[in-house]
Amino acid sequence: MHATTDTLATTPATQGGRSRWLALYTLCAGMLMIVLDVTVVNVALPAIQDDLGFTSSSLAWVVNAYLIAFGGLLLLAGRLGDLLGRRNIFTAGLVVFTAASVLCGLAQTQEMLVIARFIQGVGGALTSAVILGMIVTLFPEPREQAKAIGVYAFVASAGGSIGLLAGGVLTQAISWHWIFFVNLPLGVLTAVLAVKLIEKDKGLGIGRGTDVPGAVLITAALMVGVFTIVKPAAELGWTAPRTLALAAATLALLAGFIAREATAANPLVPLRIFRSRTLTGANLIQALSASGMFGIFFLGSLYLQRVLGYDALEIGLAFLPTTVVMGLLSVKYSEKLVMRFGPRRPLIAGLSLIVVGLALFTQAPVGGNYFVHVLPVLVLLGLGGGICFPALMGLSMADVKPEDAGLASGLIGTMGEVGAALGLAILATLSATRTAGSTKPALQALTDGYHFSFAVAAAIVAASVAIALTVMRQPKPASEVEVEEELVLEAA
């Protein structure tokens, strides 16, 4: 992470100690809004369906419309932060997200809700894409940076569990409309604090990276790719003609984007950024780990609901241990682990714990007991996530030049979003296929389908462990870097 210690010309790192931490908490508040929204909506889907008359297939668009806009625009939003100023993009995203949330809450028709969710996804992408880049430039000193990234990683990875609880409470106590209305005061307050607490950065200027063809190609590729995953692949199967045609279109758009970036004078995404083994490996690990973890939270919720008979509020409470454990490790201990061992070893250890937890979930039976069959799994996932995700976020920015921080931030977010969508589609499809082909009683067939997906998820995360072992370099612990710098200064 030492490579990020250069002062960024486009984003001041001169804020005082207390104000920098207040700025961090403001950035994390914005991220929390985005993360909460995904799981809050999932819990409220049955109520939305009953109220607005969605069919089972059309209901998926309440989620898909958001995912397509969010996943499609993350990379572009990150680069726009570098060019136009990251605080500008962050606050603009908050305004769009908050306004769209109000429209969602006011929605009385299916069409209005789906359109508002798409706009929400645009705002979410603008807000979240630049956050990590802003954090590493606010905290250039290695020890503080590790601690700040730990706080961010906790919010980004554990906030979903809080969303399950909040969604259950709001939906059952008031109505589904309020899962969106609560974003209004949160969004306004966060935007005001962002303007007051985060120093304005100039950005490189639009002339340094105006690449309209590249922007169109990558945004179209990501949107078509996410649409392919969440719609035809999930509903028709991965070998269906429509799925294959859209997958081919996605690959063609990506190929066009790569060709454009290789020849453009001012590329949107300079291909040199991928020369870093650390950055490339971190993004691969992000995609794989997100595939396993996001799908399991979704399918684990279904196991609790359909097999064990939990309601929305009970599911939220059931997942709280993951949040508590992950938060404790991310905020209190991750910085110490990274400073002591460097980021690579905690990354491998944390991912390995996640693999063990996912493998253990394959043993949860039809008449499972929460404390025996579920709680140990959630604790292991919390331990693994709390250890590995802060280290991964740090590694993803370790070799990045200051002027590319927003791009790298958007890139790691994009890989996580696409990985999550891909993992959910694959695991949900595999689970449904295994259940449909079973001749066992209904609950046992359902449980067997979940077990199969849990095993596949464990294998996916195990692949990320292999990448961490073979691709990622072990940077020197920051404490050793500081000692070496002091020796150099003394010698000079």
Side-chain angles (χ1 to χ4, degrees):
M1 283 188 281
H2 182 58
T4 61
T5 59
D6 294 330
T7 301
L8 183 61
T10 56
T11 301
T14 58
Q15 290 184 237
R18 183 170 179 271
S19 66
R20 284 188 298 135
W21 287 102
L22 291 174
L24 170 68
Y25 301 145
T26 302
L27 292 172
C28 288
M31 189 66 195
L32 184 62
M33 283 180 58
I34 309 304
V35 175
L36 286 177
D37 185 76
V38 177
T39 47
V40 164
V41 171
N42 282 338
V43 172
L45 284 177
I48 293 173
Q49 181 177 17
D50 293 340
D51 191 22
L52 298 184
F54 280 98
T55 64
S56 296
S57 58
S58 63
L59 183 65
W61 279 103
V62 177
V63 176
N64 293 348
Y66 181 91
L67 286 177
I68 290 168
F70 189 81
L73 291 170
L74 270 173
L75 192 58
L76 175 59
R79 192 53 176 168
L80 287 175
D82 291 332
L83 301 176
L84 302 177
R86 291 171 202 144
R87 194 190 75 170
N88 292 335
I89 297 300
F90 178 77
T91 53
L94 284 173
V95 171
V96 173
F97 184 86
T98 304
S101 296
V102 174
L103 290 177
C104 288
L106 294 173
Q108 299 297 321
T109 65
Q110 298 178 18
E111 294 78 10
M112 182 177 178
L113 181 59
V114 170
I115 292 171
R117 286 287 288 164
F118 184 90
I119 299 172
Q120 236 191 344
V122 174
L126 292 171
T127 300
S128 61
V130 296
I131 292 176
L132 188 58
M134 295 171 79
I135 290 173
V136 298
T137 53
L138 276 170
F139 297 91
E141 193 275 322
R143 186 179 296 278
E144 285 190 334
Q145 187 180 106
K147 186 175 182 179
I149 288 177
V151 175
Y152 164 80
F154 163 64
V155 172
S157 56
S161 299
I162 302 173
L164 291 172
L165 179 59
V169 170
L170 289 171
T171 302
Q172 291 185 7
I174 312 177
S175 78
W176 66 265
H177 295 275
W178 281 91
I179 67 172
F180 298 111
F181 285 144
V182 294
N183 287 332
L184 178 59
L186 292 174
V188 171
L189 178 61
T190 304
V192 170
L193 290 175
V195 173
K196 293 178 68 68
L197 297 174
I198 301 174
E199 289 188 10
K200 187 175 182 179
D201 52 310
K202 294 195 308 180
L204 297 171
I206 197 68
R208 287 287 303 273
T210 306
D211 179 17
V212 175
V216 171
L217 284 168
I218 191 59
T219 302
L222 289 171
M223 284 190 172
V224 173
V226 174
F227 172 80
T228 304
I229 293 166
V230 301
K231 188 64 176 174
E235 295 180 1
L236 304 176
W238 292 92
T239 58
R242 189 180 179 192
T243 305
L244 294 175
L246 287 171
T250 301
L251 292 175
L253 288 167
L254 283 173
F257 171 71
I258 292 172
R260 167 66 188 177
E261 300 311 280
T263 57
N266 294 308
L268 177 71
V269 181
L271 297 183
R272 57 175 166 72
I273 198 171
F274 296 106
R275 294 173 187 166
S276 167
R277 286 179 54 182
T278 302
L279 181 138
T280 303
N283 278 277
L284 289 173
I285 292 169
Q286 169 79 334
L288 291 170
S289 59
S291 296
M293 287 285 283
F294 188 83
I296 287 309
F297 278 118
F298 178 79
L299 293 172
S301 298
L302 291 180
Y303 168 77
L304 293 176
Q305 179 187 26
R306 296 180 180 177
V307 179
L308 300 188
Y310 285 30
D311 61 27
L313 183 56
E314 289 172 330
I315 291 172
L317 291 170
F319 277 95
L320 271 183
T322 301
T323 304
V324 172
V325 173
M326 192 177 294
L328 182 64
L329 283 171
S330 297
V331 176
K332 191 172 180 61
Y333 297 107
S334 64
E335 171 256 338
K336 296 177 182 178
L337 290 171
V338 169
M339 296 301 294
R340 173 67 178 84
F341 299 106
R344 181 174 177 268
R345 291 169 188 166
L347 173 65
I348 293 169
L351 291 172
S352 299
L353 286 172
I354 292 173
V355 173
V356 174
L358 295 175
L360 189 62
F361 215 175
T362 64
Q363 304 304 307
V366 170
N369 179 282
Y370 174 77
F371 293 99
V372 175
H373 302 106
V374 180
L375 182 59
V377 172
L378 299 180
V379 170
L380 284 170
L381 295 181
L383 286 170
I387 293 172
C388 78
F389 287 136
L392 179 60
M393 293 301 102
L395 280 169
S396 70
M397 305 296 290
D399 293 339
V400 177
K401 294 182 178 180
E403 63 268 23
D404 293 329
L407 171 62
S409 176
L411 183 62
I412 195 74
T414 299
M415 295 303 290
E417 187 67 22
V418 173
L422 181 61
L424 179 57
I426 291 174
L427 296 177
T429 301
L430 291 175
S431 176
T433 302
R434 175 60 66 94
T435 297
S438 176
T439 58
K440 296 179 181 179
L443 281 182
Q444 186 60 59
L446 198 59
T447 304
D448 288 348
Y450 295 143
H451 285 176
F452 183 58
S453 290
F454 296 159
V456 172
I460 291 172
V461 180
S464 71
V465 177
I467 292 174
L469 287 168
T470 57
V471 175
M472 306 297 285
R473 294 191 180 100
Q474 170 64 34
K476 292 180 181 179
S479 56
E480 292 184 16
V481 174
E482 291 173 352
V483 170
E484 290 180 0
E485 289 177 344
E486 290 176 2
L487 291 175
V488 170
L489 288 174
E490 290 176 2

